Amino acid sequence: MYVEIKYLNLLSTQLEKFKQKKPYLWNFRCPYCGDSQRNKNKARGFVFQLKGELIYKCHNCQVSVPLGKLLQDVNPELYKEYRMEKFKSPKSVDMRKVERIVSAAPVFTKNILADCTPLDSLNNSHPAKEYIFSRKLPTDALYYTEKFREWTNSLKPGTFLDIQNDEERIIIPFKDREGNVFGFQGRSLSNTGIRYITVLLQEDQPKIFGLDQLDYEKTIYITEGPFDSMFLTNAIAMAGADVSLPSGIDDCVFVYDNEPRNKQITDRIARHIRDGDSVVIWPSTIKEKDINDMVLSGYYVQEIVSSCTYSGLTATLKLNDWRK
């Protein structure tokens, strides 16, 4: 079940409260019913082994599907990658390696980023740096590695069993309040395949980027991805998934992508409104999908976000109008 376990781990960035409880048993909040709306700590969705396959079952809504169906429903693009890898020519798999990916603990070094190259030290014509420049992103907090899988395995053994077809990626470090790296996201330089891969070195940490730069006395903006958060003051990113916020984050605004036809996004915004949170509802005049694209189109995003933040009944009315 190496392929299934690999893709479940890749999907974990979109599964709230994801945690491995024991070999071949994972737990998280149900992406189908949303689990308990009153208690955000409840997680009643489980992936487990049954007759040589991984099965997903929710003990709240009772949905029960194979892992492939879960992948397809939560992340169709990742499901395509899974299908391609799953149905390649069969190869023998060393089950000892599978066990390692199930239970491996990370091996930490003094400086986790020591074997990566700071983006600022690259030549301006380097493809990684050119990409960041083309998106008008800052370079000072980003890194680069030519062999992402090999480097990841040096920190968390068994994450990737196949490193023959390794690839270069931009590294986005995730740091805690004290500045310690507890995980990272690798951004591919290719437009095909999986664009972002998130790896947590400490599984009990929230999948949040930017905790080390926050002023907890001011309003905190929460975006979907790290790159978008770099264009806002005092912002963090959820790394593509709903997460439970750490203590100390009270005055916050959720900033989702500008996709009014995306039911997953509109449902999340509606849930935040019901919970009393503040949200951004983008003006209908803006057609760009995310903050980065808006910046590239010349919008002053910070000003728009500040003027389009709503809560309560006003937020509900704005949301209903936005998603028509």
Side-chain angles (χ1 to χ4, degrees):
M1 289 185 291
Y2 158 64
V3 175
E4 285 83 355
I5 293 169
K6 170 185 174 181
Y7 279 87
L8 176 60
N9 285 333
L10 292 174
L11 186 68
S12 68
T13 61
Q14 295 178 259
L15 301 172
E16 190 177 358
K17 293 287 182 184
F18 181 90
K19 183 180 292 184
Q20 184 172 348
K21 302 185 83 68
K22 60 176 71 173
Y24 303 106
L25 179 64
W26 297 261
N27 173 228
F28 45 88
R29 284 170 65 82
C30 179
Y32 292 98
C33 67
D35 232 300
S36 171
Q37 298 304 310
R38 293 183 179 179
N39 187 347
K40 292 186 177 181
N41 288 319
K42 278 196 174 180
R44 291 173 285 189
F46 291 86
V47 169
F48 55 92
Q49 182 186 21
L50 180 65
K51 296 181 180 179
E53 294 185 18
L54 291 185
I55 304 295
Y56 171 73
K57 181 176 177 61
C58 174
H59 293 289
N60 184 43
C61 64
Q62 303 303 315
V63 67
S64 180
V65 295
L67 178 66
K69 177 62 175 170
L70 176 69
L71 283 165
Q72 185 178 23
D73 291 340
V74 177
N75 189 329
E77 289 301 316
L78 188 61
Y79 174 70
K80 292 177 184 177
E81 296 283 333
Y82 164 78
R83 290 270 302 178
M84 289 178 63
E85 186 163 346
K86 175 73 175 173
F87 297 106
K88 282 189 211 172
S89 300
K91 297 178 181 177
S92 60
V93 177
D94 185 343
M95 289 306 294
R96 291 172 297 178
K97 293 182 178 180
V98 175
E99 290 292 341
R100 284 203 296 274
I101 196 171
V102 171
S103 58
V107 176
F108 296 104
T109 58
K110 272 190 175 181
N111 182 1
I112 290 173
L113 300 171
D115 294 327
C116 285
T117 304
L119 218 59
D120 276 344
S121 68
L122 295 175
N123 190 289
N124 286 349
S125 62
H126 190 284
K129 204 164 185 178
E130 281 189 336
Y131 171 77
I132 295 300
F133 283 158
S134 73
R135 305 301 298 180
K136 294 187 177 180
L137 289 158
T139 59
D140 56 329
L142 302 175
Y143 291 76
Y144 167 81
T145 179
E146 286 186 345
K147 297 181 178 180
F148 177 75
R149 298 184 181 191
E150 181 180 314
W151 175 70
T152 300
N153 280 356
S154 72
L155 299 171
K156 193 172 184 179
T159 303
F160 297 100
L161 299 188
D162 179 12
I163 63 171
Q164 291 184 351
N165 299 314
D166 216 337
E167 58 181 343
E168 57 182 340
R169 282 182 180 261
I170 295 168
I171 302 301
I172 309 166
F174 288 15
K175 300 180 180 180
D176 60 21
R177 293 189 187 189
E178 289 72 38
N180 302 308
V181 178
F182 63 83
F184 51 87
Q185 196 171 74
R187 207 295 181 186
S188 174
L189 298 183
S190 171
N191 290 323
T192 60
I194 302 172
R195 288 192 300 167
Y196 293 94
I197 296 178
T198 304
V199 178
L200 284 184
L201 303 176
Q202 299 175 27
E203 297 295 340
D204 58 339
Q205 289 280 4
K207 300 182 183 75
I208 295 178
F209 166 82
L211 292 172
D212 58 313
Q213 301 177 26
L214 285 186
D215 183 341
Y216 290 85
E217 301 299 318
K218 297 181 180 178
T219 298
I220 296 170
Y221 295 94
I222 304 172
T223 68
E224 288 194 61
F227 284 166
D228 281 345
S229 72
M230 294 178 182
F231 294 106
L232 298 177
T233 58
N234 212 40
I236 58 177
M238 298 180 290
D242 283 329
V243 294
S244 295
L245 299 177
S247 60
I249 299 180
D250 299 315
D251 179 13
C252 60
V253 177
F254 289 88
V255 188
Y256 283 92
D257 285 348
N258 185 26
E259 295 187 79
R261 301 293 181 268
N262 186 320
K263 188 176 185 302
Q264 191 175 38
I265 286 179
T266 56
D267 284 351
R268 287 176 180 173
I269 294 174
R271 187 167 72 246
H272 285 305
I273 295 172
R274 289 195 300 270
D275 290 342
D277 299 323
S278 296
V279 297
V280 167
I281 308 294
W282 299 103
S284 59
T285 52
I286 296 180
K287 304 304 178 185
E288 286 74 14
K289 173 189 168 184
D290 58 33
I291 289 175
N292 199 170
D293 286 340
M294 294 176 198
V295 170
L296 293 177
S297 295
Y299 288 103
Y300 183 42
V301 177
Q302 185 70 57
E303 185 176 292
I304 296 171
V305 165
S306 298
S307 62
C308 295
T309 297
Y310 307 98
S311 61
L313 179 59
T314 302
T316 299
L317 294 173
K318 289 286 184 180
L319 174 63
N320 291 339
D321 185 57
W322 179 64
R323 62 183 173 185
K324 283 181 180 177

